[in-house]
C-alpha cells in the first residue's frame, strides 16, 4: 500500500455498555441523568480507545526517470560476477562517466529482490558502496545513495539491516547543501526505519531526532515532505511511546510541525498532511498531550479545520480528505484531554464557527468520502460532550434535522448521531424543549425497531433523557404505538433492562 494513501477505513465502533445487573428493579432515580452520564463516560473511554488507530506503515521509492518509476526498462537480475564487475568499475574506472554508469546499472539491477539478496551476501559489497557514498565525487555519491535507496525499499528486513553501516553517513549528509540529496537521504532513512528495529536503535544515539529538527527548518518543500515521512515512520515504531516520542517532545520538532500546519499563504497542503499524521501518532501515544496543547495544538488544528471548510466551499478537490482526516482525528483525541469550555483563549473551538465548519465537511464527506463521516461525527461528539455552548450552537443553527438525515447511512453513523443527540438532551430541560416537537421522535420510533442492538440501545438512552426532561414526548411516544415497538426487544438480554426502564418512565414518569 502506498504511504500517500492516507484515507483508510475505521474499525467498527463499539458503543454498547451493559447495564449493571444488580439494578433489575428500576426506579426513576435509577434512570436519572447522572447515571446515564456515568454510563456514557464509560462508553466514551471505550470509544476513545477504539479511535486510537495506527496507520499501516509502508515505504516510498524515489526514481528519477518516468520509465523507472513505472517499473519499465529495468535491468535484468545481476549475478555475483556482474555485481563485482560494476562495483570495481565504479571504484576504479578510468573515466568519471564510466564509473557513474556502472553505478546506474547496479542501481537498476538492485530493483530486483534476487539482485538485492546476492548483493548483501557478497563479501565487501556494502563496504564498497559506503566507500563510494563517502567519496569526494558528487555524482558518484548521488548514485551510491540511490543504490542504497533501492536496497532500503526491499521487502525483506535482512536487506535493510545490511544497510546499517551507511546510516551514520546518511545522517551526516542531512546537514549538507543539496536539497535533492537531503531529500533522498531522508526517504532512504525513512524506509530503513520502518523495516528494522536494529536500524532504529542505531539511529537514535546517532542523532536522528536533532537531525530531523534541523531539516524541518529547510525552506525547500520537498525536504519538508521527506522530513514528515521519515518522522512518521519513526513515530509508528512499537517502541515509540517509551523510547522515541519523549525525545521528540523534548526537541523543537512539535513547535515547527505546528507552525507548518498553521493556515495562511505559506501553508503547503502536502507538508501539512505529512505533519498532521505525525501529530496524530504523537497524540495517540498519550505521552504528553498537555505539552502539545500548551504549544497551541488545539488552536492550530481548529484554525486548520475552519480553513478546510472554506476550501471545500470553493473547490470539489477530492484530495482534501487527505488533510481533513488526520486533522479531525488529532482534534478528537486532544479534546478527550481537555473540555472545550476549558480551552482558554482558543476561541475558535468555543463558538459556532467550528460547528458550522464541521457540518460543511460532513456534507463533503457524505458526497465524496463516506468512510470519513464517522471521523467527523466523532469530533462533533467530543466537542458537544461537555459543552453547553456548542450544544446551543447545534440548536440555533438548526442542525438537528441534518444530523437526523444521517441515520440512514450506516449503523456506525447512527450510533454516533444518537450519541451526539444524547449530549444535547442531557444538558437539561431547556435543551430538550428545543428538540421537541420536531422530527426527533419519529426518527427514534424508527431506530427502535431496527435489529442492531447498539443502535437500539443508544435510541433507548436518548428517549429516556427526552422523557425525563420533556414529559410531553412520553405521551406522544405512547400515542404513536411506542410500547409496541419496545415489545420486540423484550427478549434481548442486552436490552431488557433499558426497555423496562423506558416503559416505566413513559407510563409513570
Amino acid at each position: 500500500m502506498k504511504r500517500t494513501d492516507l484515507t483508510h477505513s475505521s474499525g467498527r465502533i463499539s458503543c454498547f455498555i451493559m447495564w449493571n445487573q444488580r439494578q433489575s428493579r428500576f426506579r426513576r432515580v435509577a434512570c436519572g441523568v447522572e447515571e446515564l452520564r456515568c454510563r456514557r463516560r464509560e462508553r466514551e473511554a471505550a470509544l476513545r480507545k477504539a479511535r486510537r488507530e495506527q496507520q499501516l506503515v509502508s515505504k516510498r521509492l524515489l526514481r528519477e526517470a518516468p520509465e523507472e518509476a513505472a517499473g519499465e526498462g529495468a535491468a535484468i537480475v545481476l549475478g555475483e560476477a556482474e555485481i563485482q564487475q560494476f562495483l570495481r568499475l565504479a571504484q576504479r574506472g578510468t573515466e568519471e562517466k564510466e564509473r557513474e554508469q556502472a553505478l546506474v546499472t547496479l542501481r537498476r539491477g538492485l530493483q530486483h529482490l534476487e539482485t538485492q539478496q546476492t548483493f548483501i551476501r557478497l563479501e565487501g559489497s556494502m563496504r564498497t558502496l559506503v566507500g563510494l557514498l563517502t567519496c569526494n565525487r558528487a555524482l558518484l555519491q548521488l548514485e551510491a545513495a540511490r543504490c542504497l535507496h533501492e536496497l532500503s525499499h526491499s521487502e525483506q528486513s535482512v536487506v535493510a539491516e545490511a544497510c546499517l553501516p551507511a546510516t551514520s553517513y546518511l545522517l551526516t549528509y542531512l546537514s549538507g547543501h543539496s536539497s535533492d540529496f537531503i531529500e533522498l537521504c531522508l526517504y532512504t532513512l525513512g524506509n530503513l526505519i520502518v523495516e528494522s528495529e536494529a536500524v532504529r536503535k542505531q539511529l537514535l544515539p546517532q542523532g536522528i531526532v536533532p537531525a530531523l529538527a534541523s531539516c524541518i527548518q529547510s525552506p525547500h518543500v520537498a525536504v519538508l515532505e521527506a522530513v514528515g515521512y521519515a518522522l512518521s515512520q519513526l513515530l509508528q515504531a512499537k517502541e515509540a511511546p517509551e523510547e522515541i516520542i519523549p525525545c521528540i517532545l523534548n526537541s523543537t520538532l512539535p513547535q515547527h510541525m505546528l507552525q507548518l500546519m498553521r493556515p495562511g499563504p505559506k501553508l503547503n497542503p502536502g507538508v501539512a498532511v505529512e505533519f498532521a499524521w505525525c501529530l496524530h501518532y504523537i497524540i495517540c501515544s498519550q505521552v504528553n498531550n498537555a505539552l502539545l496543547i500548551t504549544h497551541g495544538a488545539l488552536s492550530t488544528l481548529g484554525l486548520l479545520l475552519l480553513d478546510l471548510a472554506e476550501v471545500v466551499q470553493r473547490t470539489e478537490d477530492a484530495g482534501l480528505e487527505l488533510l481533513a482526516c488526520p486533522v479531525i482525528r488529532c482534534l478528537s483525541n486532544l479534546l478527550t484531554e481537555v473540555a472545550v469550555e476549558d480551552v482558554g483563549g482558543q476561541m475558535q473551538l468555543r463558538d459556532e464557527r467550528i460547528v458550522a465548519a464541521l457540518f460543511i465537511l460532513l456534507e463533503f464527506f457524505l458526497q465524496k468520502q463516506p468512510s470519513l463521516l464517522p471521523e467527523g461525527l466523532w469530533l462533533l461528539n467530543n466537542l458537544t460532550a461537555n459543552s453547553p455552548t456548542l450544544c446551543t450552537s447545534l440548536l440555533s443553527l438548526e442542525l438537528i434535522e441534518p444530523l437526523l438525515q444521517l441515520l440512514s447511512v450506516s449503523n456506525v453513523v447512527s450510533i454516533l448521531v444518537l450519541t451526539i443527540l444524547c449530549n444535547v438532551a442531557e444538558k437539561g430541560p431547556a435543551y430538550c424543549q428545543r428538540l421537541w416537537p420536531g422530527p426527533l421522535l419519529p426518527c427514534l420510533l424508527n431506530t427502535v425497531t431496527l435489529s442492531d442492538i447498539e443502535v437500539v440501545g443508544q435510541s433507548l438512552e436518548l428517549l429516556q433523557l427526552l422523557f425525563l426532561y420533556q414529559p410531553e414526548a412520553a405521551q406522544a411516544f405512547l400515542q404513536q404505538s411506542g410500547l409496541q415497538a419496545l415489545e420486540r426487544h423484550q427478549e434481548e438480554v442486552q436490552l431488557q433492562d433499558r426497555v423496562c426502564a423506558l416503559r416505566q418512565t413513559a407510563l409513570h414518569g
Side-chain angles (χ1 to χ4, degrees), residues 303-364:
L303 289 170
L304 194 49
L305 192 76
L306 295 177
D307 194 61
L308 282 168
E310 286 186 22
V311 174
V312 163
Q313 292 178 296
R314 297 195 305 265
T315 178
E316 294 187 359
D317 182 7
L320 285 170
E321 73 275 7
L322 299 182
L323 182 55
C325 181
V327 167
I328 287 173
R329 286 189 177 189
C330 287
L331 266 175
S332 296
N333 284 327
L334 277 183
L335 285 171
T336 65
E337 310 279 338
V338 59
V340 173
E341 304 296 323
D342 299 331
V343 296
Q346 303 176 61
M347 290 300 296
Q348 65 277 0
L349 292 179
R350 298 174 60 188
D351 62 37
E352 63 185 25
R353 289 180 302 159
I354 197 75
V355 175
L358 193 47
F359 268 81
I360 290 169
L361 290 172
L362 287 173
E363 183 180 359
F364 173 77

Side-chain angles (χ1 to χ4, degrees), residues 185-202:
C185 291
L186 283 166
Y187 279 115
T188 303
L189 285 167
N191 289 344
L192 294 175
I193 285 166
V194 72
E195 193 61 63
S196 168
E197 185 176 357
V199 170
R200 295 192 295 273
K201 286 190 177 298
Q202 180 163 299

Side-chain angles (χ1 to χ4, degrees), residues 102-120:
L103 280 177
V104 169
T105 307
L106 177 61
R107 168 169 58 86
R108 290 177 175 167
L110 287 172
Q111 294 171 16
H112 297 278
L113 178 59
E114 296 92 330
T115 304
Q116 295 167 3
Q117 292 170 330
T118 304
F119 181 87
I120 64 170

Side-chain angles (χ1 to χ4, degrees), residues 380-489:
L380 185 59
N381 171 62
N382 285 356
L383 283 167
T384 56
N386 299 301
S387 175
T389 302
L390 294 183
C391 288
T392 300
S393 296
L394 272 180
L395 294 165
S396 61
L397 293 173
E398 299 183 350
L399 295 173
I400 299 301
E401 191 163 346
L403 259 184
L404 292 173
Q405 291 171 2
L406 297 177
L407 288 172
S408 60
V409 174
S410 69
N411 288 336
V412 169
V413 167
S414 294
I415 292 164
L416 286 166
V417 167
L418 293 165
T419 304
I420 293 162
L421 292 170
C422 280
N423 291 343
V424 179
E426 74 171 8
K427 299 301 184 289
Y431 290 83
C432 286
Q433 284 172 8
R434 297 183 67 177
L435 289 173
W436 172 265
L440 179 58
L441 186 58
C443 288
L444 290 176
L445 284 166
N446 181 54
T447 56
V448 162
T449 64
L450 299 177
S451 59
D452 188 279
I453 290 175
E454 296 175 22
V455 174
V456 174
Q458 197 65 28
S459 302
L460 296 176
E461 290 203 14
L462 181 52
L463 284 167
Q464 185 73 267
L465 286 165
L466 194 61
F467 294 173
L468 286 173
Y469 288 131
Q470 196 68 23
E472 295 92 335
Q475 294 303 313
F477 179 79
L478 294 173
Q479 292 167 8
Q480 297 179 42
S481 305
L483 291 182
Q484 289 90 323
L486 294 180
E487 285 177 2
R488 64 179 298 169
H489 301 296

